[in-house]
Amino acid sequence: MEGNPKMWMRYLQGRCGSKAIALSITFVLGGCAISPYPVDKQEIADVVQRDRDAARAGMPALTAPLSLDEAIARALKFNLDHRTRILEQALAIGQLDASRFDMLPRLVANAGYTDRDEENIRRATDSVTGEASLANPYISSERRHTTSDMTFSWNILDFGASYYAGKQQADRVLIASERRRKSMHHLIQNVRTAFWRAIAAEKLQADIAVTIQEAETALANSQRVEAERIKEPIEALRYQRALLENLRLLENVSRELTSARVELAGLVGLTPSTQYTLLEPTEDQSKLTPLNTPVEQLEEMALTNNADLREQFYNVRIAAHETRRALLKLLPGLSFDYGYNHDSDDYLINNNWNEASMRVSFNLFNVFSAPSQLKSAKAEKTLAENRRMALQMTVLTQLHLARQQYSDALRHYQRADAIAQVDTRWMELTRNRQESQIDSQLDRVSVGVSAILSRLRRFEAIAKAQEAAGRMQATLGITPNIGSVDELTLPDLTRTMHELLKSGVLAEQMAPVPQM
């Protein structure tokens, strides 16, 4: 029959009947009908609109100037990346709840129906002579009958493996919690930095526009003077060169500051096109205090609370549990079964019966694979321990770098603040001088640009210091004691962040960190 489709079809029809052939052809044709199905533009547009609506669901409108404490509160509640971390933690908790059921014994219920088109007729052979029995062939079961059973089964090895798998999943829940803490640290740090850059944009844009207009007016006057030959061309060109350099600086500053507002809007959950104003933090919310805590105490705090390091501790425990699971697989399996059975076949004398069994099984090839499995499990644990030790050194290095960066940023801010105050007074004095000479326009523009750049550097120094403080908090594992973000309303969370910011950017108000 090989290579002859017609003979195969006749064979299948004789053996299985036309219904089986029709069913087989249906499955074959159905499988062949699968083809790529691209997503059309309308479906994409609908999904995008639903996602945007879901992202804005429950988000209060911004009706007042945005303060730093409200910006952090909005970011914690509505930032989508942070919400993803929260959902990952919820998923891990759900998987832990599901893994607990794997340790329970199995209770399986089965039901079935059997239908034959021919009677189940059997012949017999004499067990002594080997000759065919002279008795007529007999029927041993009904053509149609139903079966059902309910079996209780418990395997000790499955229970042990499920127990250690549950322990591993419990550690994964804690890992998800540490990743959420790390996400919160980075989010608060980024909001602080972007907020101060956006404050700089809001405070400086008006002065930048005025100074650019003055520079362009002075440039036009200089070009007129050059054309009329009132001064030497070299002096006019030198003058224009200075004005154009100042214009270039101002335009670069304006371009950099414009992106800060878009970045802040994205962090707090607003659309990039949202128009909003900012409320500059009070002095007690933005004060930068020297870090006087002894470095030994900081090192101990970092090694105890750092989110990345605590995650590695949990990874080592997971590896240790995996070693124990590997050992369990090498032991003989012991299972207990007890079940109730029913069969409606009238040829059976006992249609209902209970059945109990105990089985011991052992995979003989484990004798050969055991050394490799144990070696692999121990190597995995050793690798996790080495990663933990390496990360300890990395965390200590990050701590000392963050400490140094914060001290440098604090000194840089103090210097930038003093320079900004001097340049601001200088600009005010220059603008108050009523002089009509063309050279005075260059002086006013130059002094104005210097004042704007000094104020910009002051705001940048604040942002850098806030960023360094956030990096220090993340390294130390300092977590704001704010409770559950989902349970707090936005006003309550804003008030909580307001009190924390009043305590200082490096306030050690930590939530209790779970013990490992």
Side-chain angles (χ1 to χ4, degrees):
M1 292 189 295
E2 184 177 357
N4 193 330
K6 293 183 178 179
M7 296 182 65
W8 273 108
M9 290 293 290
R10 286 197 297 269
Y11 173 76
L12 289 174
Q13 186 173 7
R15 296 290 296 176
C16 305
S18 59
K19 293 183 180 179
I21 294 177
L23 186 61
S24 301
I25 294 175
T26 301
F27 278 117
V28 171
L29 293 178
C32 296
I34 297 176
S35 60
Y37 176 67
V39 182
D40 57 28
K41 292 183 178 180
Q42 185 59 44
E43 184 176 355
I44 293 176
D46 294 340
V47 172
V48 169
Q49 185 61 43
R50 288 198 301 269
D51 290 344
R52 295 180 65 180
D53 294 340
R56 299 194 192 103
M59 183 187 302
L62 188 61
T63 57
L66 182 64
S67 61
L68 177 58
D69 41 23
E70 184 180 355
I72 296 177
R74 281 180 171 270
L76 292 177
K77 285 190 72 69
F78 306 120
N79 182 271
L80 295 180
D81 290 334
H82 186 60
R83 296 296 302 175
T84 301
R85 292 299 182 187
I86 296 177
L87 292 176
E88 288 176 355
Q89 183 181 8
L91 174 61
I93 294 174
Q95 291 174 340
L96 174 61
D97 293 337
S99 67
R100 294 191 178 102
F101 291 95
D102 293 337
M103 292 184 289
L104 298 177
R106 292 189 304 167
L107 184 61
V108 181
N110 296 303
Y113 173 76
T114 302
D115 186 1
R116 297 172 57 95
D117 63 344
E118 298 290 347
E119 294 287 356
N120 186 10
I121 303 175
R122 297 175 180 269
R123 293 187 177 91
T125 302
D126 192 292
S127 61
V128 178
T129 64
E131 298 292 336
S133 175
L134 297 179
N136 293 326
Y138 60 93
I139 298 176
S140 61
S141 64
E142 285 189 301
R143 290 173 55 188
R144 299 179 182 86
H145 64 102
T146 59
T147 59
S148 61
D149 66 83
M150 181 173 291
T151 304
F152 175 90
S153 178
W154 188 56
N155 188 290
I156 294 180
L157 285 187
D158 289 345
F159 169 78
S162 300
Y163 172 78
Y164 286 117
K167 298 282 286 185
Q168 290 176 317
Q169 189 57 45
D171 287 332
R172 292 189 181 97
V173 171
L174 298 175
I175 288 176
S177 176
E178 297 301 328
R179 290 177 178 174
R180 183 192 60 80
R181 282 208 309 135
K182 180 181 177 180
S183 173
M184 181 172 63
H185 291 152
H186 289 170
L187 181 59
I188 294 177
Q189 173 184 336
N190 293 336
V191 170
R192 281 177 173 175
T193 305
F195 188 89
W196 280 104
R197 292 182 66 240
I199 281 285
E202 189 169 280
K203 297 294 183 182
L204 298 180
Q205 284 293 356
D207 291 340
I208 290 175
V210 171
T211 307
I212 287 178
Q213 184 177 1
E214 289 182 357
E216 290 177 344
T217 302
L219 182 62
N221 292 335
S222 175
Q223 291 171 347
R224 178 178 55 80
V225 168
E226 180 188 6
E228 295 176 357
R229 300 287 181 175
I230 298 176
K231 286 190 174 183
E232 291 292 331
I234 190 67
E235 295 182 8
L237 292 176
R238 186 182 297 112
Y239 182 86
Q240 293 174 25
R241 175 69 173 77
L243 287 172
L244 290 172
E245 182 65 23
N246 287 326
L247 281 171
R248 184 182 66 84
L249 290 174
L250 291 174
E251 290 168 351
N252 288 338
V253 170
S254 179
R255 182 173 60 254
E256 292 177 2
L257 293 179
T258 302
S259 63
R261 294 178 59 84
V262 178
E263 180 183 355
L264 179 61
L267 289 172
V268 301
L270 301 175
T271 57
S273 60
T274 302
Q275 298 297 322
Y276 61 93
T277 58
L278 298 175
L279 180 64
E280 186 172 359
T282 57
E283 183 179 355
D284 57 354
Q285 289 183 312
S286 59
K287 61 184 178 182
L288 300 169
T289 57
L291 186 60
N292 298 320
T293 307
V295 66
E296 294 80 8
Q297 184 177 347
L298 293 177
E299 289 179 351
E300 181 181 357
M301 188 182 301
L303 294 176
T304 304
N305 300 320
N306 183 270
D308 288 329
L309 189 55
R310 290 175 66 87
E311 179 179 342
Q312 288 302 319
F313 274 97
Y314 297 133
N315 283 329
V316 171
R317 294 204 315 200
I318 289 175
H321 292 319
E322 187 62 32
T323 302
R324 295 183 178 93
R325 289 185 64 187
L327 286 174
L328 281 177
K329 294 178 182 178
L330 305 179
L331 299 177
L334 180 61
S335 63
F336 301 92
D337 300 282
Y338 180 83
Y340 169 80
N341 300 267
H342 170 77
D343 194 328
S344 64
D345 191 348
D346 288 339
Y347 288 92
L348 290 175
I349 297 176
N350 297 312
N351 295 92
N352 302 296
W353 70 96
N354 296 323
E355 183 176 357
S357 64
M358 181 178 66
R359 296 182 180 88
V360 178
S361 62
F362 181 70
N363 185 356
L364 298 179
F365 284 104
N366 284 344
V367 176
F368 305 102
S369 63
S372 298
Q373 294 183 21
L374 289 176
K375 184 178 179 180
S376 176
K378 291 180 179 179
E380 184 177 357
K381 181 181 178 182
T382 303
L383 175 61
E385 291 175 344
N386 286 335
R387 285 176 176 169
R388 183 189 62 199
M389 290 186 289
L391 188 58
Q392 288 178 9
M393 298 303 299
T394 301
V395 168
L396 291 178
T397 302
Q398 291 175 350
L399 172 63
H400 284 266
L401 287 176
R403 183 171 176 268
Q404 184 64 41
Q405 289 170 355
Y406 179 72
S407 300
D408 292 343
L410 183 58
R411 287 194 298 269
H412 181 63
Y413 163 71
Q414 293 170 347
R415 190 69 64 198
D417 184 52
I419 294 174
Q421 293 179 13
V422 171
D423 285 343
T424 300
R425 292 198 301 269
W426 188 3
M427 180 185 65
E428 292 173 352
L429 290 175
T430 302
R431 287 183 174 178
N432 290 334
R433 295 171 58 186
Q434 300 296 326
E435 296 180 359
S436 59
Q437 292 85 359
I438 294 178
D439 289 343
S440 65
Q441 289 182 310
L442 177 60
D443 292 338
R444 287 197 301 271
V445 171
S446 299
V447 172
V449 171
S450 297
I452 289 173
L453 292 178
S454 297
R455 293 175 63 192
L456 174 63
R457 293 189 185 101
R458 176 182 177 274
F459 281 115
E460 288 181 343
I462 296 177
K464 288 293 184 183
Q466 297 282 341
E467 182 181 1
R471 188 178 299 111
M472 175 70 75
Q473 286 180 324
T475 305
L476 294 176
I478 297 177
T479 303
N481 190 6
I482 57 178
S484 174
V485 174
D486 291 331
E487 295 178 359
L488 290 174
T489 63
L490 181 60
D492 292 339
L493 185 56
T494 301
R495 285 191 294 269
T496 302
M497 296 309 305
H498 178 79
E499 296 300 325
L500 291 176
L501 291 175
K502 284 177 60 177
S503 304
V505 294
L506 278 178
E508 298 178 6
Q509 295 196 15
M510 295 181 295
V513 179
Q515 297 298 319
M516 290 182 291

